[in-house]
Each structure stands twice: as structure tokens, then as C-alpha cells.
Amino acid sequence: MDINSASVIAAALAIGLAAIGPGIGQGNASGQAVAGIARQPEAEGKIRGTLLLTLAFMESLTIYGLVVALVLLFANPFT
Amino acid sequence: MFDFDATLPLMAVQFLLLTALLNLVFYKPLTKALDERDAYIRNNQATAKESLARAESLVKDYEAQIAAARKESQSILEKAQAAAREIVAQKIAEAQKEVQAQKEQAADEIQQQKATALSTLEQQVDSLSRQILEKILGPELVR
Amino acid sequence: MEILGSLTILNTFTLAELEVGEHFLWKIGNYTVHGQVFLVSWIVIGALLIASLAATRNIQTVPSGIQNFMEYVLEFIRDLTKNQLGEKEYRPWVPFIGTLFLFIFVSNWGGILVPWRLIELPSGELAAPTNDINTTVALALLTSLAYFYAGLRKKGLGYFKRYIEPTPILMPITVLEDFTKPLSLSFRLFGNILADELVVAVLVLLVPLFVPLPLMALGLFTSAIQALVFATLAGAYIHEALEGHGE
């Protein structure tokens, strides 16, 4: 396997694997937030704000994977 | 993609300049405006609260006055009612007395008439019995 | 680059082109500078300055028009800063955190809303300044400097006690934290903005009309959130430096 095809596979793995954990985490957080809103509908605004912020944090984990993938595709240090 | 060069420090300097400029033309004047408005609103609120308190005390005064007037009117009403009741009672008593008097008078009259009637009756009985005796015994014997 | 080359050969629309890692280079003395980043950032800065000048030129007690809008913006920023730093400390930090938020927000939205591709450059293309790693690293390093400055200003050299405060064993972790903070800040912003532009670009490559629109709307949303996250995190780091670990 030459370095190019290895990089492409590595990039795909990087973004794909990095999406698993945040996906689970975001699902958990959203579920809990919905439960919280159902229990206390008057706190919806606050819950939604916090939820968006935490979702952005989890999302950034995938983005790190994406950055690694982009590095491998467009700025590969080994080719 | 990850090529660092003079863009980085220049961008940092530019950002700091932007911060300073915005501080001068955006944050400071608008913060001042906001604070001034806050103070103004707080002032107005204080005066409004004061006048509200004054109005409330006025309302309390007026309410007390109204209550006093109501009490007074109540007492006047009660007095008038008592007077009226008294008058009614007096009138009733008078009427009853009059009725009593008339009744007594009438009874007296009846008694008198009865007495006269009885006396005339007695006289008639006397004359009748005398006539009967005259008839039976003869007039000479009777005398 | 070879991978991309094969992609762009397939592409028949000249409007849709994937260009990653190409820059409009300027030379200043011995140094090279990414010109397209500076061009757009100057436009962003100009827009911010014009808006604030228009808002503050004639300040009235009862606001209207742009003054009202900018006051809303300022109150939003003040609330954000107050939430992170607390009532007592937040005032001196409003300009820094607010400018971070405004600059990133206007850059991100400007990158999406303005059709930069219609303006041709000799090489590279105009886009949001925040899709260049230099910009985001510059902002993140400034944030690091800001929280070091905040800690040193508040506690003097005692600020460095926080490295050995609970136990000196944890010192590598706390030192490492100082490096990961700017790293994660800059990569988060950079990755989000670049990923959004790449996704839109790839979709434009496949279906040039209408289909990318929902993704662009999603991009507006995420870039606004990223600006908020960057400003919030900067506030949180500064607050941490002001408070210290032990207290």
C-alpha cells in the first residue's frame, strides 16, 4: 500500500471514528435535555442555550477528527 | 493549509487595534449611554414610587374620611328611626287610650240606660201590679 | 493536492472549484502574508467600525434604528461576559471578549453570506478570515495571553502557584492544559468554518443549484454558535485565571 492510498483510508477512518463518540454523547445530551424540558417546560430557554453550547463542544471533537483528515488529504506531511 | 507565516502576528496586532478602536467608538460610549439610561430609569422609578406612596396615603386619608362620614350617616339614620318609632308608639298609645275611654263611656251609657230602663220597668211593674190588685180586690181596698 | 486535482478535472462548472491551501500571497520584506485573509478582515473591521460609528454618532436617551440594534448587541455581549466572569470582574473584559465575538461572528457570516467567489483573485479565493489557521491561532494565542495577563494582574507572581498548588505531581497536566487550550480553541473554530465551506463547496460541485442552500443555513447557525463558543470559552478561561484553582 503506497502512502497516498494509506492516507485516504486513514482520513476516512479519522473522520468516521471521530464521529462515533460525539454522536453517542450528543444523543445522550439531547435526550436528557428533552426530558428536562418535559419535566420543567418553564426552563426551556435556559436548557436550550446550554444544550446548544454543549453540543458545540461535542461537535468540536468530530471536527478535530476532520482536521486530521484534512491534513492527511490536503497537507500530508509524508508525501 | 497549515502554513504559518507573518499573517499570524499581523492578524493579532490588527485584532488588538480593532479592540482598542471598538473600545473607543463602541463600548465606551454605548456603555455610558446604557448606564446613564439605567440611572435615569432608576431615578424615575424612585420618584414614581414616591408619588405612588403619596397617592396611597391620600387614598387612605380619603377612605378614613369616607368611613367617618358613613358612620355619621348611620348614626343619624338610627336616631331618626328611633324618633320615628317613638312617635309611632306614642300615637298608638294615644289611640288606644282614646279607644279605651270611648269604650268606657259607651259602657257607662249602657249601664245608665239599663238602670233607667230597669227603673221604668219597675214603675210599670208597680203600676201594673197595682192595677191587678185593684181589679182583684177592688179599688177601695187597695188604698 | 493530487487527489483534489483529479476531482477538479471531472468538474465542468468553472463556478464550482475546490481550492484548499492556496493563498493570495503578498510579500512584505522577507515575509509572506496571506492577502485574501487580510482583504476580507479589513472589510469585516470596516463594517464593524462603520456600524459602531453610525450607532454612536448621535446617542439619544430613547434609542432608535441602528443605535437600538447596537445597544442590543452590547447588552448581549455584556450578559455573556457577566455570565462567565461574574458581576464584580466583568467590566474591563467586555471589550476583549466582545470584540472576539463580533469579529468572529461577522467574519463567519460574511464568509457565508457574501458571494466572494464572484471576485477573482490571481490565486486562492476570498473567504471568511476565520477559515485560515493563522487567524484562529492568532485569536487563540491572544486569548491565552489575556488569561495569563488577567492572572498575573490579579495575583502577581502568585499566579504561578497554581501549577504546584494541589500537588506538584499534577504540574505536567496543568502545563499541558495551557497548550491545549489555545490549540483546541483555534482548531475548533478553524475546523468548523473550513468544514462548512468544504461541505458547501463539495455539494456545489455535485449539484450546483438550490441543494446546498439548507447546508448554508446550517452553516450560518453553526458559525454563530462557534463565535459564541469561542467568546464563552475565552471568558471561562479568564475567569479561571482570576479565581485560581484552590479557591
Side-chain angles (χ1 to χ4, degrees):
Chain A
M1 199 192 288
D2 66 332
I3 198 80
N4 267 341
S5 41
S7 302
V8 172
I9 291 171
L13 284 178
I15 179 68
L17 292 177
I20 295 174
I24 295 170
Q26 286 186 336
N28 258 337
S30 309
Q32 296 288 337
V34 168
I37 292 174
R39 208 168 293 146
Q40 271 179 305
E42 68 273 5
E44 187 186 350
K46 221 167 189 176
I47 291 175
R48 182 183 294 151
T50 320
L51 174 71
L52 283 182
L53 216 62
T54 48
L55 285 188
F57 284 129
M58 292 179 226
E59 188 78 26
S60 63
L61 297 179
T62 314
I63 297 294
Y64 297 155
L66 180 75
V67 170
V68 170
L70 290 177
V71 169
L72 287 175
L73 284 183
F74 299 117
N76 200 323
F78 305 113
T79 52
Chain B
M1 197 162 72
F2 290 95
D3 35 2
F4 295 101
D5 53 14
T7 314
L8 201 159
L10 281 180
M11 189 54 98
V13 170
Q14 186 177 295
F15 179 81
L16 285 181
L17 272 180
L18 176 68
T19 307
L21 274 179
L22 278 187
N23 189 26
L24 221 63
V25 301
F26 175 54
Y27 296 109
K28 265 189 189 157
L30 271 192
T31 306
K32 211 175 115 210
L34 283 182
D35 288 349
E36 270 169 12
R37 182 171 316 131
D38 272 357
Y40 174 75
I41 286 171
R42 215 170 297 135
N43 246 1
N44 273 8
Q45 231 166 13
T47 44
K49 215 172 270 176
E50 213 167 274
S51 41
L52 189 72
R54 215 166 39 219
E56 262 168 10
S57 78
L58 274 183
V59 164
K60 214 169 270 176
D61 271 11
Y62 286 137
E63 265 171 6
Q65 281 180 16
I66 285 171
R70 196 169 289 156
K71 210 176 272 176
E72 205 175 326
S73 75
Q74 196 71 26
S75 76
I76 288 173
L77 202 68
E78 266 167 18
K79 227 178 271 174
Q81 274 177 349
R85 255 199 301 273
E86 211 167 292
I87 289 171
V88 166
Q90 211 176 322
K91 281 267 158 77
I92 286 174
E94 253 168 49
Q96 273 176 349
K97 215 179 272 175
E98 204 174 319
V99 166
Q100 197 68 30
Q102 279 179 0
K103 224 160 95 181
E104 269 166 24
Q105 206 181 331
D108 277 1
E109 247 165 58
I110 287 168
Q111 208 65 35
Q112 221 172 314
Q113 281 177 7
K114 204 166 133 187
T116 49
L118 276 178
S119 65
T120 46
L121 202 62
E122 221 160 288
Q123 277 169 14
Q124 277 176 2
V125 167
D126 271 359
S127 68
L128 269 177
S129 45
R130 192 174 296 249
Q131 278 173 10
I132 290 168
L133 277 176
E134 273 172 15
K135 273 246 172 98
I136 296 168
L137 302 175
E140 1 5 282
L141 267 178
V142 173
R143 204 69 30 106
Chain C
M1 274 308 102
E2 299 85 24
I3 302 158
L4 257 191
S6 57
L7 257 180
T8 38
I9 290 165
L10 293 173
N11 178 27
T12 48
F13 298 96
T14 47
L15 187 72
E17 244 179 332
L18 272 183
E19 281 184 343
V20 176
E22 286 181 24
H23 297 290
F24 180 38
L25 292 177
W26 292 347
K27 288 210 184 299
I28 301 174
N30 282 332
Y31 303 105
T32 54
V33 163
H34 296 173
Q36 90 274 18
V37 178
F38 276 104
L39 282 176
V40 181
S41 72
W42 289 339
I43 294 172
V44 168
I45 290 171
L48 282 174
L49 285 180
I50 287 170
S52 14
L53 279 177
T56 54
R57 196 191 48 208
N58 182 17
I59 290 183
Q60 280 151 351
T61 319
V62 179
S64 62
I66 184 139
Q67 190 195 342
N68 207 348
F69 176 70
M70 292 309 272
E71 275 187 13
Y72 173 74
V73 170
L74 180 59
E75 281 192 359
F76 177 78
I77 290 167
R78 278 171 61 161
D79 277 352
L80 197 162
T81 320
K82 206 192 295 181
N83 277 341
Q84 293 304 320
L85 290 182
E87 183 75 55
K88 214 172 65 187
E89 317 259 17
Y90 82 96
R91 265 177 189 264
W93 292 104
V94 167
F96 181 69
I97 292 172
T99 312
L100 273 180
F101 175 76
L102 285 179
F103 182 71
I104 295 171
F105 181 79
V106 176
S107 297
N108 291 351
W109 276 39
I112 297 172
L113 291 177
V114 181
W116 298 110
R117 274 156 214 269
L118 300 182
I119 303 167
E120 294 244 342
L121 288 182
S123 74
E125 60 187 14
L126 293 176
T130 39
N131 88 340
D132 190 284
I133 189 80
N134 287 292
T135 314
T136 59
V137 168
L139 296 180
L141 284 181
L142 279 179
T143 308
S144 294
L145 286 181
Y147 78 73
F148 269 107
Y149 170 75
L152 288 175
R153 177 99 186 269
K154 179 92 182 286
K155 301 174 188 161
L157 285 177
Y159 173 68
F160 290 110
K161 263 199 303 201
R162 80 193 185 94
Y163 290 109
I164 51 164
E165 192 76 310
T167 63
I169 302 166
L170 288 177
M171 189 173 154
I173 293 177
T174 35
V175 172
L176 199 65
E177 222 173 42
D178 280 333
F179 287 100
T180 55
K181 273 173 184 172
L183 196 72
S184 70
L185 264 186
S186 56
F187 271 34
R188 178 180 300 122
L189 183 59
F190 167 72
N192 265 294
I193 303 307
L194 188 72
D196 206 68
E197 286 189 356
L198 275 183
V199 167
V200 170
V202 167
L203 264 188
V204 168
L205 207 70
L206 298 174
V207 194
L209 283 178
F210 302 120
V211 177
L213 273 180
L215 269 170
M216 291 172 93
L218 183 72
L220 282 180
F221 178 69
T222 46
S223 51
I225 295 281
Q226 286 309 317
L228 185 68
V229 164
F230 199 108
T232 309
L233 275 181
Y237 292 159
I238 291 170
H239 178 70
E240 196 184 341
L242 285 174
E243 285 287 304
H245 277 277
E247 292 151 43

